[in-house]
Amino acid sequence: MSRVIRVKISEKLLEKLNEQINKELYSAYLYLGMAAYFEERGLSGFAHWFKVQAKEETEHAMMFYNHIMDRGGKIILRPIQAPPNNWQSITEIFNQALKHEKEVTKSIHEILDLAREIRDKPAEVFLMKFVEEQVEEEKIFTDILQILEYAGETPQTVLMLNVKLAQRNQ
Ligand code: MG
């Protein structure tokens, strides 16, 4: 007996969904590295925020994993690239994170375009959640960057943000 209802999935879409697992896990890896940068410098609020963010990215990867599995597709795991770790400033970190999220957004939009092109409704509905999620991700990083740019990366701004970012629950 089949564990789940199997809906046929195209090879091309399957490849893209598997690639997205890798991209989400890379995001987790990138943010874990950023968490370490802050933790090493005693900025536990920033570190906490990035650890929660890393966990969220792992959850995104699992959502793609589950979608592939639920549809009877094959999971193909590839090596995860090492993230950079030589940041010069906190502003640079948030700039890189925002740049990365914009790339993820582009990737999600491309997969959605493909799903629409091949009329894969389940994939389309599944991907819509991520279209919304990416608006939120870009907004969060932009908001923090705006504070850093407006107030400058002074010790006061950093400590204020450290307190604020410590409050993140999920
Ligand atoms: Mg993500």
Side-chain angles (χ1 to χ4, degrees), residues 6 39 53 64 82 97 106 123 128 152 154:
R6 304 262 155 132
E39 199 144 356
Q53 186 67 25
F64 279 90
K106 191 166 163 260
M128 292 301 260
T154 64

Side-chain angles (χ1 to χ4, degrees), residues 20 23-25 27-28 31 53 56-61 64 100-101 104 108 130 133-134 137:
Q20 195 61 34
K23 285 177 186 174
E24 299 293 344
L25 288 177
S27 301
Y31 298 143
Q53 186 67 25
E56 191 182 295
E57 300 301 347
T58 308
E59 284 162 10
H60 292 167
F64 279 90
H100 175 68
E101 285 304 329
V104 173
I108 298 284
F130 287 93
E133 171 67 26
Q134 285 310 117
E137 299 287 49

Side-chain angles (χ1 to χ4, degrees), residues 9 13 17 67 71 112 115 120-128:
I9 188 163
L13 182 62
L17 293 172
H67 186 76
R71 302 190 58 194
L112 177 62
D120 188 319
K121 294 280 191 295
E124 196 179 323
V125 171
F126 168 72
L127 288 159
M128 292 301 260

